[in-house]
Amino acid sequence: MLALMALGAKGQVIEPRTYTNAPVGLNFLVTGYNFIGGGVGTDPTLPIENTKVEIHSTFFAYARSLDFFGKSAKFDVVQPLSWASGSATVKEQFRDREVFGPADTRFRFAVNFFGAPALSMKDFANYRQDTVIGASVEVTAPSGQYNEDKLLNIGNNRWSIRPEIGISKSLGPFILELAGSIQFYTANNDFLGSRVREQEPVYSLQGHIIYSFGNGIWFAVDGTFFTGGQTIVDGVKSGGKLENSRAGVTLSLPVSRHNSVKLFFNTGVAVRTGSDFNAVGINWQYRFGGNIH
């Protein structure tokens, strides 16, 4: 049996402009390709060394901007499809494994309760951002590929919920953003057969400095910090908690009135456990509705 663990690297996303206002009734279709690769931390109680994992993912997402009691809001659903390969030294023997399938489905609802009223496309033309405060709740369902006999899986075989609160401040062409969240997990009752794997909450803080060049072009410098998330197997704590920071950049380029492309890259800066990897991707977004002409 190949024993590898991705530890939730796929969940350590850095996402600017989460609480940006948008006209009510806009729809977004998004697809893209993301790559994650590098060393991955494992439970030190397991006889595993020299772990390397590569994850190639495509995804399909839908989002819609809403009027939530006069406040701007957004709902989105994301379905990834991933191919993962990994290798490790297990009890001084080399092992590798490849797996392909759907990853866990993610649902999120976000609302801006200060500074971003719900506006039609016509009224939005006169809107200028100042300070926006918002909150979101993200739920991840255990719908991904999972094999209870393996440690390297695409799905996590558990539910998670991540409430977040964020603030966005406009300063001329710059936008400063800061958001904090806590992610809670249910237990995986089929970990390596019949073992029960639990995980303590993961606390994260992310910040962005965004510069708008006009005409829909913007660039962001991104950073995030994670802590917590210690693993508990059959009631016994194993390994250490996460305590990592990551940094990256994001660039968004319009292609037409309805289409845009976003490119991103991020990497580990100060790594203690499970975050020593690089991530790069390109996303294509098509927007429609809201009386776009």
Side-chain angles (χ1 to χ4, degrees), residues 7 12 41 199-205 224-231 239-246 268-277:
L7 272 182
Q12 297 187 14
Q199 188 171 8
E200 294 180 347
V202 172
Y203 303 86
S204 67
L205 184 69
T224 188
F225 173 76
F226 292 84
T227 188
Q230 186 168 23
T231 299
K241 67 178 183 178
L242 296 170
E243 194 170 303
N244 309 314
S245 58
R246 300 182 60 77
V269 176
V271 177
R272 175 176 173 179
T273 302
S275 190
D276 190 13
F277 61 89

Side-chain angles (χ1 to χ4, degrees), residues 39-255:
V40 177
T42 62
D43 187 335
T45 63
L46 298 172
I48 307 169
E49 298 176 330
N50 304 319
T51 60
K52 297 292 181 181
V53 172
E54 291 187 355
I55 302 172
H56 301 263
S57 297
T58 186
F59 70 92
F60 304 93
Y62 169 76
R64 180 176 174 84
S65 57
L66 307 168
D67 182 337
F68 185 75
F69 298 101
K71 308 296 183 182
S72 65
K74 184 177 68 174
F75 169 79
D76 62 69
V77 56
V78 181
Q79 178 56 65
L81 186 67
S82 300
W83 172 76
S85 64
S87 63
T89 302
V90 184
K91 295 183 178 179
E92 299 184 353
Q93 294 186 347
F94 179 80
R95 297 288 187 269
D96 60 3
R97 169 170 158 79
E98 295 185 2
V99 61
F100 173 82
D104 294 339
T105 307
R106 188 193 76 184
F107 305 88
R108 181 173 58 181
F109 178 76
V111 59
N112 296 320
F113 50 81
F114 177 83
L119 300 171
S120 66
M121 178 65 74
K122 179 181 178 180
D123 294 334
F124 190 80
N126 298 318
Y127 171 78
R128 296 294 180 269
Q129 179 182 329
D130 185 9
T131 300
V132 174
I133 301 175
S136 65
V137 176
E138 178 184 284
V139 176
T140 303
S143 58
Q145 180 278 338
Y146 184 78
N147 186 328
E148 64 183 27
D149 295 326
K150 306 294 184 181
L151 275 172
L152 177 63
N153 285 289
I154 294 174
N156 290 300
N157 195 42
R158 64 184 180 184
W159 291 86
S160 73
I161 182 169
R162 183 171 70 94
E164 180 181 84
I165 186 168
I167 182 170
S168 177
K169 174 66 176 178
S170 176
L171 297 172
F174 289 93
I175 296 178
L176 308 181
E177 293 185 341
L178 187 67
S181 68
I182 307 174
Q183 188 156 11
F184 302 92
Y185 307 92
T186 62
N188 175 2
N189 296 312
D190 299 307
F191 179 67
L192 293 181
S194 59
R195 302 176 74 181
V196 177
R197 181 178 183 269
E198 301 172 275
Q199 188 171 8
E200 294 180 347
V202 172
Y203 303 86
S204 67
L205 184 69
Q206 62 175 295
H208 311 277
I209 302 174
I210 304 162
Y211 183 83
S212 175
F213 295 91
N215 299 318
I217 304 172
W218 56 267
F219 176 80
V221 177
D222 315 303
T224 188
F225 173 76
F226 292 84
T227 188
Q230 186 168 23
T231 299
I232 303 168
V233 178
D234 288 339
V236 179
K237 290 186 177 182
S238 59
K241 67 178 183 178
L242 296 170
E243 194 170 303
N244 309 314
S245 58
R246 300 182 60 77
V249 292
T250 305
L251 175 65
S252 181
L253 299 169
V255 177

